[in-house]
């Protein structure tokens, strides 16, 4: 399969409600959408780098630069038989996993459309729906948080993640736990603590949480291993796991007992599957993280999360939890039982609503 041109778009979509984490608050969600042409087919990929380098060092602008000045010139017109081959051809670029993952997603979409197979089938998975939950941002007060969580429970979500940061951790989690004693509840700190001050989190250990996600810095595998020894609750790593090698090392040193897999963070779906396979062999639970994706990335997450090792609900919510209008013709809805259906059409299984896409496109460039 020869990709002969790629159009990059900087997309900025207004969020229905602002999303606040320990690294900042956003009213809109930016990403880079790729539209790749090969053999008369069009494949789409979503690069989940954000406008700001808060979650990761990558941004829409760094991904734009790395793709247009390095990766695309090296792969356009080259015969690509598999995502693995694409990864080999991109290996000369150090890091920039989100940029690479966006292009790999477009290649999967193209391959699926050529073969008439859905991403789920290509990944070899059998499940047609996946368990999902909702990730709730920081709110003005614990009381507001409880109200917001209650609203999601009324919509049918059966697993809730709340964001925490220093000063807004134990109190918030305790308020939600008291209001909903049996809720499947977890917390995410997005790297806001140091080993030296993480002892303040110890009351969380009594709240029957599913997991504590990424308390310490992304480059602190060792300190996470020290922290995990102090907690009964499993630590789950997100930011720290950037490859299957990091996953293996984190498990070997006891830095976590659960892994959040995001294809964007690890350089692509193929690496995400490799992490899944490693964890599945070792009996380590994984779940699919989210980056507030558009319908394009959401379709990819649903296919990934259908693999058998994804034994915990993913951060994959219904379209209406995020956006008034999506850029795909398909919208994803929550089924009773807190599940979402995996797309079944070839490739990612989504089509683009071009008028909607044009309304949220800030910049666009085609590279041949
Ligand atoms: O840490 O999981 C995270 C969103 C943006 C950046 C990082 C994270 C998140 C979420 C949202 O938690 C998950 C979702 O897409 O619903
Ligand atoms: Mg996270």
């Amino acid at each position: 399969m020869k990709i002969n041109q790629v159009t990059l778009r900087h997309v900025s979509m207004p969020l229905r409600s602002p999303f606040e984490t320990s690294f900042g608050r956003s009213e809109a969600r930016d990403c880079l959408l790729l539209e790749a042409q090969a053999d008369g087919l069009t494949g789409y990929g979503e690069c989940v780098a954000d406008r700001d380098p808060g979650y990761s060092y990558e941004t829409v602008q760094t991904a734009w630069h790395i793709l247009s000045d390095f990766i695309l010139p090296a792969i356009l017109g080259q015969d690509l038989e598999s995502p693995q081959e694409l990864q080999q051809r991109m290996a000369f670029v150090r890091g920039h996993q989100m940029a690479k993952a966006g292009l790999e997603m477009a290649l999967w979409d193209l391959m699926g459309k050529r073969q008439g197979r859905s991403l789920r089938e290509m990944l070899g998975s059998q499940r047609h729906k996946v368990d999902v939950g909702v990730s709730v941002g920081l709110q003005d007060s614990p009381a507001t948080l409880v109200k917001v969580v209650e609203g999601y429970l009324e919509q049918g979500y059966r697993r809730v993640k709340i964001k925490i940061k220093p000063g807004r951790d134990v109190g918030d989690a305790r308020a939600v736990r008291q209001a909903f004693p049996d809720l499947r509840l977890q917390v995410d700190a997005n790297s806001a603590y140091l080993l030296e001050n993480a002892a303040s989190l110890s009351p969380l250990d009594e709240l029957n949480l599913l997991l504590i996600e990424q308390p310490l810095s992304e480059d602190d595998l060792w300190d996470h291993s020290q922290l995990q020894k102090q907690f009964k609750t499993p630590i789950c790593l997100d930011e720290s796991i950037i490859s299957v090698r990091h996953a293996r090392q984190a498990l070997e040193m006891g830095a976590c007992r659960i892994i959040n897999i995001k294809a964007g963070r690890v350089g692509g779906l193929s690496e995400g599957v490799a992490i899944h396979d490693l964890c599945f062999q070792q009996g380590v639970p994984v779940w699919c993280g989210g980056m507030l994706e558009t319908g394009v990335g959401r379709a990819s997450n649903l296919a990934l999360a259908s693999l058998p090792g994804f034994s915990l609900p993913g951060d994959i919510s219904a379209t209406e939890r995020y956006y008034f209008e999506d850029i795909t013709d398909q919208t994803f809805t929550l089924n009773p039982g807190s599940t979402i259906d995996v797309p079944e059409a070839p490739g990612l299984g989504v089509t683009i609503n071009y008028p909607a896409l044009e309304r949220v496109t800030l910049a666009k460039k085609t590279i041949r």
Side-chain angles (χ1 to χ4, degrees), residues 17-42:
S17 53
F19 191 69
E20 184 170 341
T21 64
S22 63
F23 59 81
R25 177 184 171 92
S26 10
E27 315 253 335
R29 188 271 184 165
D30 290 23
C31 71
L32 195 161
L33 191 80
L34 295 89
E35 184 184 320
Q37 311 286 342
D39 308 340
L41 297 167
T42 304

Side-chain angles (χ1 to χ4, degrees), residues 55-191:
Y55 169 79
S56 143
Y57 66 83
E58 291 188 81
T59 65
V60 175
Q61 295 297 326
T62 67
W64 185 283
H65 165 54
I66 294 293
L67 283 164
S68 44
D69 296 336
F70 300 104
I71 294 178
L72 293 175
I75 66 101
L76 287 175
Q78 304 291 320
D79 212 13
L80 298 170
E81 276 321 307
S82 65
Q84 289 69 27
E85 188 179 344
L86 172 63
Q87 289 294 338
Q88 283 157 19
R89 290 186 183 272
M90 298 192 293
F92 74 101
V93 173
R94 192 184 298 274
H96 297 279
Q97 287 92 332
M98 293 177 180
K100 292 172 180 172
L103 184 60
E104 198 194 298
M105 193 190 296
L107 180 63
W108 281 103
D109 193 27
L110 284 166
M111 286 171 36
K113 284 169 173 164
R114 188 181 58 183
Q115 299 168 11
R117 295 204 300 159
S118 68
L119 180 57
R120 179 191 64 73
E121 287 176 275
M122 289 190 284
L123 297 179
S125 128
Q126 314 289 328
R127 288 197 286 187
H128 295 267
K129 43 179 82 193
V130 302
D131 289 330
V132 302
V134 62
S135 171
V136 180
L138 288 157
Q139 306 294 322
D140 293 342
S141 66
T144 318
L145 175 63
V146 168
K147 280 218 176 64
V148 172
V149 168
E150 186 173 34
Y152 287 120
L153 298 182
E154 278 162 9
Q155 289 172 34
Y157 291 100
R158 288 292 168 265
R159 189 231 65 183
V160 171
K161 162 168 131 183
I162 63 167
K163 294 291 187 176
I164 58 169
K165 67 174 183 181
R168 294 297 305 280
D169 39 38
V170 174
D172 281 38
R174 204 175 263 146
V176 177
R177 175 50 83 219
Q178 268 163 14
F180 311 105
D182 301 321
L183 175 62
R184 302 181 84 189
L185 179 65
Q186 59 194 58
V187 297
D188 186 0
N190 287 110
S191 305

Side-chain angles (χ1 to χ4, degrees), residues 230-241:
Q230 303 168 23
F231 281 81
K232 296 177 295 198
T233 309
I235 288 179
C236 167
L237 291 178
D238 173 355
E239 285 91 325
S240 289
I241 305 299

Side-chain angles (χ1 to χ4, degrees), residues 250-296:
L251 294 172
E252 275 178 17
M253 68 172 91
C256 63
R257 296 190 193 133
I258 298 177
I259 291 178
N260 161 330
I261 300 181
K262 291 177 181 169
R265 195 193 63 226
V266 302
L269 281 159
S270 53
E271 192 78 3
V273 170
I275 296 174
H276 161 273
D277 294 351
L278 172 85
C279 292
F280 196 47
Q281 282 161 19
Q282 298 194 16
V284 173
V286 301
W287 55 283
C288 186
M291 294 290 287
L292 313 175
E293 283 85 353
T294 73
V296 173

Side-chain angles (χ1 to χ4, degrees), residues 2 22 53 149 222 228 234 288 300 327:
K2 284 197 177 85
S22 63
V149 168
W222 179 255
Q228 178 65 89
C288 186
S300 169
I327 60 170

